[in-house]
Amino acid sequence: MHIRGIILEGYSNSGKTSLLRTIKLMMSQDESAERSLIVLGEHYSQVLNNVNGDFLSLGRSDHIKLLQERAEMLKRLNEWAIGLGPFSRKSRGLFFVLERFHLNHRVAFSDTLSNEIVELEQNLVVLNAKCALLTISDDIVEERIMSRDAGLWKGKPKEEIINACNELVETQKLLREQVKLSKVPSIEINTDSKEWDKYAKQIIEYTDLEG
C-alpha cells in the first residue's frame, strides 16, 4: 500500500496553515516523492464553519459522517491505484495532508464520544495516517495571537485578549488529553520558533516510520 499522510491538529495560531503550505512546497520539490498530493484544509473537515458570514457548528453525528466521507475518499483512491497493478511510490503513490480532523472532533464532543471516532481512527491507521499536534508555549500565547491578528485586536479591551489567550491554553490541554486516547500515532511539535521548514521535514520523515 503506497499511501501515507499527516493530520495537522492544533488550536488557532499554532501554525497549521503555515506548516501546511510548507509541506506542500517541500513535497513538490522532492523528485522522489509521490506525484499525487491531496491537501484538505480545515474548511473540509472542521466542526465550526463560516457560511456566508454566519458561524455554523456541525453536530456530532453530522461531523463524524463528514470525516468518514473524507477518509473513504482516500481509501477509494488508494484501492484504485492498487487495482492497476504493481507500482512505485513515486508513480502512483499518494500523500495526503488533512487539517483539523479527528482530534478536532474529540475535543468538540469530548462529553459525548462514541465508538464511531474509534472506528474512524482505525481506518486512518490503515491509510498510514500520522498526526502532528502543533502547540505553543503558554508564555508566548498573547504574542502569537497579536502577531497574527494585530489589526483584529487593535482597540480591543485587555479582558477580551486575556480570555482569548485562556481559551487557547485550555484547548491545548484538551488536545493533549485526547491525543493520548487516539488510535492514530502522534507527535507534538512546539512551534514557538516558527521554523516551518524544520517542522515540515520532521513531519514528512515521521510519516515514513513504522507504527
Side-chain angles (χ1 to χ4, degrees):
M1 180 185 293
H2 290 299
I3 185 170
R4 59 177 177 146
I6 192 69
I7 300 168
L8 299 177
E9 296 278 6
Y11 197 60
S12 298
N13 300 289
S14 62
K16 296 186 303 299
T17 302
S18 295
L19 193 47
L20 185 148
R21 291 198 206 98
T22 306
I23 291 174
K24 285 198 297 183
L25 179 61
M26 196 167 286
M27 292 294 292
S28 68
Q29 295 174 339
D30 183 356
E31 294 186 359
S32 65
E34 295 89 341
R35 291 177 183 170
S36 296
L37 175 64
I38 293 179
V39 179
L40 293 182
E42 60 187 17
H43 304 295
Y44 288 90
S45 56
Q46 65 184 358
V47 176
L48 185 65
N49 292 279
N50 188 330
V51 181
N52 296 322
D54 295 323
F55 284 99
L56 300 178
S57 181
L58 293 176
R60 182 184 60 79
S61 59
D62 286 337
H63 188 245
I64 197 71
K65 180 181 178 182
L66 179 69
L67 299 184
Q68 289 168 336
E69 289 174 351
R70 302 295 181 252
E72 182 65 21
M73 175 196 69
L74 295 172
K75 177 184 176 183
R76 290 184 179 181
L77 289 172
N78 183 61
E79 289 174 345
W80 169 263
I82 292 174
L84 295 177
F87 62 94
S88 67
R89 168 184 282 181
K90 180 179 179 180
S91 64
R92 291 203 303 277
L94 181 65
F95 189 95
F96 60 88
V97 183
L98 306 176
E99 185 181 13
R100 275 191 174 164
F101 211 75
H102 64 300
L103 280 189
N104 182 232
H105 181 91
R106 279 182 166 276
V107 169
F109 306 105
S110 58
D111 296 332
T112 57
L113 288 173
S114 66
N115 291 333
E116 291 173 308
I117 187 63
V118 176
E119 293 173 4
L120 171 68
E121 290 175 345
Q122 290 171 337
N123 290 334
L124 291 171
V125 170
V126 171
L127 294 171
N128 288 327
K130 302 286 181 67
C131 173
L133 174 57
L134 309 183
T135 61
I136 54 179
S137 300
D138 292 357
D139 58 354
I140 73 154
V141 165
E142 182 173 343
E143 174 189 331
R144 179 67 68 87
I145 288 178
M146 298 298 289
S147 66
R148 178 180 173 184
D149 301 314
L152 176 66
W153 293 103
K154 186 176 181 180
K156 295 282 187 179
K158 184 65 176 179
E159 182 181 359
E160 189 170 338
I161 297 174
I162 292 174
N163 289 338
C165 293
N166 290 339
E167 182 179 0
L168 190 155
V169 170
E170 290 303 312
T171 302
Q172 282 196 158
K173 290 180 181 178
L174 291 173
L175 286 165
R176 286 184 172 121
E177 291 173 4
Q178 291 298 325
V179 80
K180 293 176 182 177
L181 302 174
S182 173
K183 298 287 184 182
V184 180
S186 306
I187 56 172
E188 180 176 332
I189 298 178
N190 179 283
T191 64
D192 288 359
S193 60
K194 300 183 181 180
E195 298 176 272
W196 308 121
D197 287 348
K198 173 185 174 182
Y199 308 146
K201 182 179 179 182
Q202 179 183 356
I203 285 173
I204 293 171
E205 290 175 350
Y206 179 55
T207 63
D208 240 356
L209 297 178
E210 294 292 334

